[in-house]
Amino acid sequence: MTDSSPDAGFSGQTQSDGQSPTPWRAFLRTETGSAAVLLTAVLAALAWANADLSMYDRFWRTHVGLSFGSRSLSLELRDWVNSGLMAVFFFVVGLEARRERDLGELRDSRRIALPVFVGVSGMLVPVAIYLLINAGDGEIHGWGAAMSTDTAFALGMLALLGKRLPTGLRTFILAVTVVDDFVALGVITFGYSESVAPVALLVALAILGVIVLLRHEGVRRGGWYAVLATAAWVATWESGVDPVVVGLVMGLLTFAYPAARGDLERATGLFRRFREQPTPELERTARIGLATAISPNDRLLRMYHPWSSYVIVPVFALANAGIRISGDELSQAFTSPVTLGIVCAFVAGKPIAVLSAAWLTDHFSHGRLRPPVGWGAVAAGGTIAGAGFTVSLLIATLAFDGEQLENAKIGTLTALLGSFVLTWAVSAVIGLLPKRRRIRALLGTAESIIDLAVPVDPELDKIRGPLEAPVTVVEYGDFDCPYCGRAEPVIRELLADFGDVRYVWRHLPLTDVHPGAMLGAEASEAAHDQGAFWEMHDLLLAREGTLRFAEALRIADDLGLDTERFERHLRRHKGAGRIDDDVDSADLSGVSGTPTFFINGRRHHGAYDIGHLSAAVRTARQQAAIAEPDS
């Protein structure tokens, strides 16, 4: 299957198993795309409720039961959505939290404090505002509906605002909302659960203990975990605790790690054995080998995240967002402390909390825990955090009923609209700033995490461009990789467009999929021995097909090299040590496919056409410029 999108030709990558790990950007694309589906579901629920509210309520109050021998579990359809399907939503949240901890911004333990403090503060301040407005009105028990940001709508707003705000804000918002969801789930579990049945709760905890033991023993059969998680869900429901907590725990227990090159090479070998002898036994072995090369977190996230984003959350919205809207209802709602408390908590409380918490963390850490974006972007992130919906409605259905529930829903939808308008206004103000101040306001001066494990060494690395350039592009490549050949003219254009970029080539010959890869790498090293590395580099990438020894000699002769010296270098494998050093650095940096790019030490995810690479270089150059003291 081919991708017909414009970037398809510049997003491919040779992997030892043919599949690259899903980067954070894929998750963000899925989340922002789901915002449109979620908004459609909200509008459909409103239309349905205003067309026939009694039918809307009657449908979602329909009882659906399951039988387990002599026991049965009968719940309203809305309860199956809110406590059943939403457990899958929180499972995805748990997977993302674990992935961020293992591979993302939070893998540096020092960086955990900032999103945790901002996330918790971004809940406490809105709750305080809600309680202040509702003091003495008897509705303070609904405080939990005024604190949690909706990830899909928040990232959807970022997508609509496009280039007005920096890409790094998405990662910052996502890290904060993961903390937000985690705390919100604790609030649901301990603040809005019925009276707890100790025996059932102990049974649920025992089942979760068995799951932890199976994970410790390395059991990877998903069926076992699915059965045990379902049993834990039923036991938790029977205990009186909202069972969505089971989904989050399961997600947090699922490791994330990059595909190791050795595992991918083993997977390639298993597939080749199956290709030579396609028996059921080898098919099963190859399938297991391919699966084990990818982390369980990657596989489960790829499997469940689309269902969560495009089905579960929209169904939740359809089941809970239906309210009658008329002049009388709105007039009554906007005199209700519940509505006013929720609106003020989200629209005012969230921005105040996010900005204040980020500033206090930066101030008291003496700049060591600085937001990854500028203060203007942090302000926009605060207004975006006011987009509450999913968890807010979930808690509202637990805290309220009747008229107060309707008021809470109107408050949540109003806050969502107000959050978008306020974010647009903040981004518009930032856009009016002078260029240098605007860049500083958007990008900030925080140091980013360096993904490139081995820094560029001008004495050892192959470098094109000025040695003291502010932007360095490192490519791990393979001379037999067709995608590297496709990227090479893009790099040439990039160097021509930007005079202050240096480009570094590092070897990663994928010999399990490209038989001539090592010969190509050694040929380039043999040419380097005669001062002709880049000439050989360009010719090797321009050719097609597997490189043969005789062809390497012919290319050396065409370049006017001393072919006898070149051949001796090849036959004695004199370049193998240098190649091994590059391969080791690739392993340390988590590189398993070609081409893989790093820009100023940060791994570049996404397409590598001239547009995407140029945008990444411009951002890196701007960050390097604002890091310098003003003249």
Side-chain angles (χ1 to χ4, degrees):
M1 182 176 180
T2 60
D3 186 351
S4 60
S5 65
D7 298 332
F10 297 97
S11 58
Q13 187 184 65
T14 298
Q15 294 285 329
S16 295
D17 73 336
Q19 182 63 56
S20 64
T22 305
W24 265 81
R25 192 174 298 274
F27 171 77
L28 297 173
R29 279 200 302 267
T30 306
E31 198 66 71
T32 52
S34 71
V37 180
L38 179 54
L39 181 60
T40 301
V42 172
L43 296 175
L46 291 172
W48 184 359
N50 283 274
D52 193 336
L53 184 61
S54 61
M55 186 181 74
Y56 176 84
D57 286 334
R58 194 164 54 248
F59 176 82
W60 292 109
R61 291 183 182 277
T62 303
H63 273 263
V64 178
L66 296 175
S67 297
F68 306 91
S70 60
R71 298 182 64 85
S72 64
L73 181 64
S74 180
L75 305 176
E76 290 182 0
L77 191 56
R78 182 178 281 120
D79 288 333
W80 281 114
V81 172
N82 293 355
S83 295
L85 290 181
M86 288 303 287
V88 180
F89 165 79
F90 279 106
F91 174 61
V92 173
V93 170
L95 289 173
E96 280 304 320
R98 185 66 197 228
R99 181 176 178 80
E100 180 70 357
R101 180 66 182 92
D102 292 343
L103 298 176
E105 291 289 334
L106 301 184
R107 68 185 185 272
D108 183 349
S109 298
R110 296 172 299 174
R111 295 179 179 243
I112 295 177
L114 178 63
V116 168
F117 186 51
V118 172
V120 173
S121 299
M123 304 178 85
L124 292 179
V125 173
V127 166
I129 291 175
Y130 176 89
L131 293 176
L132 184 64
I133 293 175
N134 283 268
D137 289 302
E139 303 301 340
I140 60 172
H141 63 285
W143 56 270
M147 64 181 189
S148 189
T149 301
D150 186 274
T151 306
F153 272 128
L155 296 180
M157 288 182 189
L158 283 171
L160 290 173
L161 291 169
K163 296 181 179 180
R164 288 187 174 203
L165 297 170
T167 304
L169 182 58
R170 290 169 167 81
T171 303
F172 178 65
I173 287 294
L174 189 57
V176 171
T177 56
V178 164
V179 176
D180 190 304
D181 286 332
F182 188 83
V183 175
L185 189 53
V187 169
I188 293 171
T189 302
F190 298 105
Y192 292 96
S193 294
E194 304 292 334
S195 57
V196 177
V199 174
L201 185 58
L202 287 174
V203 171
L205 291 174
I207 295 172
L208 291 175
V210 172
I211 291 172
V212 172
L213 181 62
L214 289 177
R215 192 202 66 167
H216 182 266
E217 294 298 319
V219 176
R220 296 176 65 98
R221 293 183 179 274
W224 286 103
Y225 293 105
V227 170
L228 289 170
T230 302
W233 186 93
V234 173
T236 305
W237 175 270
E238 295 290 343
S239 75
V241 175
D242 196 303
V244 292
V245 68
V246 174
L248 183 64
V249 171
M250 293 298 295
L252 291 173
L253 289 175
T254 308
F255 290 123
Y257 49 81
R261 195 166 53 86
D263 290 338
L264 296 174
E265 289 173 352
R266 281 191 291 275
T268 301
L270 291 171
F271 176 77
R272 283 179 172 167
R273 288 177 60 192
F274 171 71
R275 176 68 178 84
E276 294 167 357
Q277 191 177 1
T279 64
E281 293 79 9
L282 287 179
E283 180 273 335
R284 180 177 179 275
T285 302
R287 180 160 40 84
I288 294 173
L290 289 172
T292 55
I294 304 297
S295 76
N297 188 289
D298 275 316
R299 290 186 291 107
L300 292 172
L301 196 58
R302 180 180 289 274
M303 185 185 304
Y304 287 105
H305 187 269
W307 284 100
S308 173
S309 297
Y310 289 101
V311 179
I312 292 172
V313 175
V315 167
F316 170 83
L318 190 64
N320 292 277
I323 51 175
R324 189 186 297 278
I325 296 179
S326 67
D328 290 340
E329 273 82 8
L330 292 177
S331 176
Q332 187 277 331
F334 286 113
T335 60
S336 166
V338 171
T339 304
L340 295 176
I342 290 175
V343 172
C344 292
F346 280 119
V347 176
K350 282 286 189 178
I352 292 171
V354 169
L355 262 173
S356 300
W359 183 86
L360 289 171
T361 305
D362 178 46
H363 178 72
F364 287 105
S365 70
H366 302 289
R368 291 190 299 273
L369 296 176
R370 184 167 295 170
V373 291
W375 290 107
V378 173
T383 59
I384 286 172
F389 184 78
T390 305
V391 177
S392 181
L393 285 187
L394 181 60
I395 295 179
T397 61
L398 299 173
F400 300 116
D401 53 30
E403 183 179 288
Q404 296 296 58
L405 178 57
E406 302 302 301
N407 291 338
K409 290 180 178 180
I410 290 174
T412 300
L413 293 174
T414 302
L416 186 63
L417 179 60
S419 172
F420 177 76
V421 172
L422 198 55
T423 302
W424 180 88
V426 170
S427 66
V429 170
I430 295 173
L432 296 175
L433 296 174
K435 181 177 180 181
R436 185 173 178 83
R437 292 186 62 189
R438 183 173 70 250
I439 292 172
R440 186 181 292 271
L442 291 174
L443 299 180
T445 57
E447 294 182 2
S448 63
I449 291 180
I450 299 301
D451 299 309
L452 188 65
V454 179
V456 172
D457 185 346
E459 298 295 325
L460 297 176
D461 281 303
K462 316 300 188 301
I463 298 176
R464 263 180 170 165
L467 293 180
E468 303 301 324
V471 179
T472 299
V473 177
V474 176
E475 177 185 357
Y476 281 93
D478 173 335
F479 288 113
D480 254 14
C481 169
Y483 301 113
C484 295
R486 194 170 297 168
E488 196 274 335
V490 175
I491 294 297
R492 281 176 171 270
E493 186 176 352
L494 188 75
L495 293 174
D497 291 344
F498 296 91
D500 56 352
V501 173
R502 64 174 180 173
Y503 167 69
V504 177
W505 169 277
R506 286 183 175 176
H507 300 290
L508 184 58
L510 301 177
T511 54
D512 58 325
V513 289
H514 296 143
M518 182 58 75
L519 176 60
E522 291 187 339
S524 70
E525 289 297 324
H528 176 65
D529 183 54
Q530 299 186 45
F533 173 83
W534 290 110
E535 292 82 355
M536 177 65 73
H537 165 277
D538 295 344
L539 290 176
L540 288 175
L541 287 177
R543 49 171 298 286
E544 295 182 358
T546 300
L547 180 68
R548 304 296 181 185
F549 195 90
E551 185 182 5
L553 293 178
R554 180 184 59 76
I555 294 174
D557 185 58
D558 291 343
L559 290 174
L561 301 182
D562 182 338
T563 54
E564 292 185 4
R565 177 180 168 185
F566 181 86
E567 183 175 357
R568 284 197 305 271
H569 197 287
L570 281 184
R571 293 192 181 279
R572 296 176 183 178
H573 304 288
K574 289 184 177 181
R578 180 65 208 137
I579 296 167
D580 288 344
D581 288 342
D582 282 355
V583 171
D584 289 342
S585 74
D587 290 340
L588 291 172
S589 301
V591 179
S592 56
T594 56
T596 295
F597 294 92
F598 293 80
I599 299 177
N600 276 3
R602 193 68 186 263
R603 185 163 180 166
H604 172 73
H605 293 294
Y608 44 84
D609 61 290
I610 188 62
H612 284 82
L613 281 181
S614 294
V617 167
R618 278 193 294 269
T619 299
R621 186 166 61 178
Q622 289 168 348
Q623 289 174 325
I626 62 177
E628 298 175 356
D630 294 330
S631 55

